[in-house]
Structure formats: C-alpha cells, structure tokens
Amino acid sequence: SVLVIGAGGLGCPILQYLAAAGVGTIGIMDGDTVELSNLHRQVLYNMDDIGSLKALAAASKLQAMNDEIIIKAKAETLNQGNAFESIQPYDMVIDGTDNFVSRYVINDACAILKKPLIYGAVMKFEGQVAIFNTPDSQGNACNYRDLFPTAPVNSEQFSCNATGVIGTVPGIIGMMQANEAIKLITGIGNPLINQLLTINLLDYSSYKIEIPFTENKAYAMPSDRATLESFDYEWFCNQMQDDEINAETALEWVKSDAAILIDVREPSEAPQITLYPSVKCPLSTINDNLDILKTGQKLIFVCASGSRSLKAIQQLKPMLPDYEMFSIHGGLTRMTQDQISF
C-alpha cells in the first residue's frame, strides 16, 4: 500500500503508473481543486475537471484505469494534525507536494513511523529524487533533514506557481518517483536509498550525491507524535529576514501615509490590491521607474510569495540608499492564508 501526498504535477504521473502497475492499495491525499493553470503539467485532469477536488477526480480516473485495486481518496491537505493518522496505515509514502512546510511534516512523521519516503521536487527545468527513512546495506537510514537541516530562507523558496515549470519536468520526475517505489516493492535494482539524484532536463546533465549519515544529528527533529504536533513548522520554514515585515504592520504604515505600497507583480497577475493605495511597478521594469518611488516615505514591496519583493529591495538599495525598504513576509499568498483583506 502506498500513500501519495499531493495529486498535482508530481502526483499525477506517480498515481497513473502505480495504478497501472497494480499496486494493491493507493491512497491519495490532496485538499486542492483543479484549476485551468494546472492542466499543462497535471495531465490526469481535463477541462471538465476544473473546480473539482483533485483527490476525488484522480480517484475516479484511476479506478477506471484499474478496477482490481483499492483507491482511497482523502480530500484534505496533510498537516501536522492529521499526518500520523493519514500515514500510519500505509507501507510507503511518496511526497508529491511543492512547499517546505509539507515536506518537513511528511518527513518527520515518516521518520518517527519508520515509513519509507520517496521524495521528489521540481523547479523550472530541474528535478530531484531521493529515498529517505529506508536502511541501506549498513543499516543506516537518512531523512530529509540530513539533506536540508534548515529550510531555505523565504527569498530562496520557489514553487511552480511562482517561478514556472515546463510541464514535462514534473511528469518525468513523478515517473522516476513511481519507478523508485516499484523498485522498493519488488526488490529489484538499486533504489536511491540515502542518495539524491538531480537532473537538468534542458541538457540531460545529472549528478548523484550520497547523503551523509551521522548518529549524532546536528538538528532538532520531533521525536514523537506529540512533539511533531506541537512543532511550529510555519515559523521553521518561513522565518523573517531583516528586510521583511509582517503584513499587519506594513498595512498600518500604509494607512497612516508613513509608507507607500509597491506591487512588483506583472500587471496581469491577480488578485488586485483594492483596499489600500498601491503603486504598480513590476520587478521587470523597476529600475526604469525610480522617479515614482522617490516619495520620501518608507517603501513597502509586495508580490505573490515574497520572493520578488525581496529581489526588488536587493536591486534598489544601491540606487536609493537613503530609503527604508521592506518586503511583506510571505506576500499576498500568506495574507490570504491569514485572512487579511487587501
């Protein structure tokens, strides 16, 4: 039995190939719905599925592919509150998520439960695959934290929605994850246990590294269910940098005219900011529009995730050294999650 967490770009090919291979029980966990922008890379769905819950739509299609296997769909997003109950019944977990909070929660739960975890990640033209929590020939089992003891800072975090990806990249990486699962199930070949494979699909260059195992870990990881459920993953994965500010403070400054809000997204990006005065100044043209930024006020930059707004500050600091500049932590995505209207 295999639990696939995430039924998106990675999850679609994983699920299709596991179902076709006849894996006895396949669990699907995803709380999102199908959107038009998903279809170039999430090829399990079509136009008629837009607005449907991914887990349920995927389950229906997979059951039609193979009616001799059991499909269990859970239309929920995995989090630290439901991780144990969701992962416990399965022999193996495949991570098809695209954010660091989910990856750390999945890893930690699998490590505590001693469940093999097949990891995959994509960005633009590259992808990675590895197997965690599975003993090698020496009995050593590395986990995701051995590779990434700390989460990348906010400005280094990217997703397919924020940076884009060629649709075939998650397809290829997802197939590789399914391939590693089949190798583990059947006991054939040399699975990527304690190894990370990285491939660039523009030129097919690749490299494989051994993930070092140490008895005395240099990081703090939850050791049991109670510790995992109380661990602050949002803080761990989204710690603010010196140039960042929370949305509440930023918007108070804007309302009091102490700061000007600068939207560095492209004009076509939605949703629009309507409740606060803001200036549209896309990152792609920001160097050519310095005059509209010279207001004497603090400069508050915002984008979808917070990555482009931090880049704007890096670009502008040498040109506007006397100005205080801040980026809204987590951008509009975080504001939406925190139910902050804009």
Side-chain angles (χ1 to χ4, degrees), residues 130-132 134-136 140-141 180 184 190-195 210:
I131 298 177
F132 300 120
T134 304
D136 60 18
N140 298 324
E180 291 304 300
L184 284 181
N190 297 301
L192 291 167
I193 296 170
N194 297 345
Q195 297 176 309
E210 298 286 335

Side-chain angles (χ1 to χ4, degrees), residues 170 248 253 269:
E248 292 89 346
W253 286 354
E269 291 185 64

Side-chain angles (χ1 to χ4, degrees), residues 243-293:
D243 292 331
E244 291 186 302
I245 190 171
N246 63 52
E248 292 89 346
T249 301
L251 296 177
E252 284 297 324
W253 286 354
V254 172
K255 284 194 293 184
S256 65
D257 287 329
I260 180 172
L261 184 62
I262 302 147
D263 185 351
V264 298
R265 297 175 299 160
E266 294 300 316
S268 60
E269 291 185 64
Q272 300 298 315
I273 298 171
T274 58
L275 295 182
Y276 298 90
S278 63
V279 174
K280 270 282 187 183
C281 193
L283 181 62
S284 57
T285 62
I286 202 165
N287 287 3
D288 301 324
N289 291 284
L290 294 182
D291 287 343
I292 65 175
L293 305 179

Side-chain angles (χ1 to χ4, degrees), residues 145-194:
R145 288 180 184 260
D146 289 304
L147 185 63
F148 300 111
T150 59
V153 297
N154 192 53
S155 62
E156 297 171 345
Q157 295 188 22
F158 302 101
S159 68
C160 294
N161 286 335
T163 62
V165 68
I166 293 180
T168 52
V169 175
I172 293 167
I173 298 302
M175 283 193 291
M176 294 174 73
Q177 288 178 272
N179 188 58
E180 291 304 300
I182 292 169
K183 285 159 65 177
L184 284 181
I185 292 168
T186 59
I188 62 173
N190 297 301
L192 291 167
I193 296 170
N194 297 345

Side-chain angles (χ1 to χ4, degrees), residues 15-29:
L15 290 165
Q16 287 171 289
Y17 279 92
L18 293 184
V23 172
T25 300
I26 299 173
I28 310 168
M29 192 165 185

Side-chain angles (χ1 to χ4, degrees), residues 1-149:
S1 60
V2 179
L3 174 63
V4 179
I5 303 174
L10 292 171
C12 284
I14 294 168
L15 290 165
Q16 287 171 289
Y17 279 92
L18 293 184
V23 172
T25 300
I26 299 173
I28 310 168
M29 192 165 185
D30 194 310
D32 287 342
T33 56
V34 180
E35 298 179 11
L36 177 63
S37 61
N38 299 153
L39 299 184
H40 77 108
R41 66 187 187 277
Q42 300 179 20
V43 295
L44 191 55
Y45 312 116
N46 55 45
M47 297 288 285
D48 292 336
D49 296 314
I50 293 173
S52 302
L53 288 163
K54 290 181 181 179
L56 302 184
S60 175
K61 294 172 188 293
L62 296 173
Q63 204 69 79
M65 286 174 55
N66 188 341
D67 62 5
E68 296 185 353
I69 62 176
I70 298 169
I71 307 291
K72 296 182 177 181
K74 198 170 186 178
E76 297 178 20
T77 299
L78 184 131
N79 56 54
Q80 62 201 95
N82 61 23
F84 266 75
E85 64 188 47
S86 301
I87 291 172
Q88 179 73 67
Y90 293 89
D91 299 316
M92 182 185 305
V93 175
I94 305 182
D95 182 357
T97 62
D98 64 353
N99 66 87
F100 286 97
V101 171
S102 295
R103 288 172 185 160
Y104 280 100
V105 173
I106 293 166
N107 172 78
D108 294 354
C110 286
I112 294 168
L113 291 168
K114 294 182 168 55
K115 301 285 185 180
L117 170 62
I118 300 175
Y119 156 80
V122 296
M123 187 179 75
K124 293 187 177 180
F125 316 112
E126 293 189 339
Q128 297 178 335
V129 183
I131 298 177
F132 300 120
N133 306 320
T134 304
D136 60 18
S137 57
Q138 284 76 46
N140 298 324
C142 295
N143 69 76
Y144 184 71
R145 288 180 184 260
D146 289 304
L147 185 63
F148 300 111

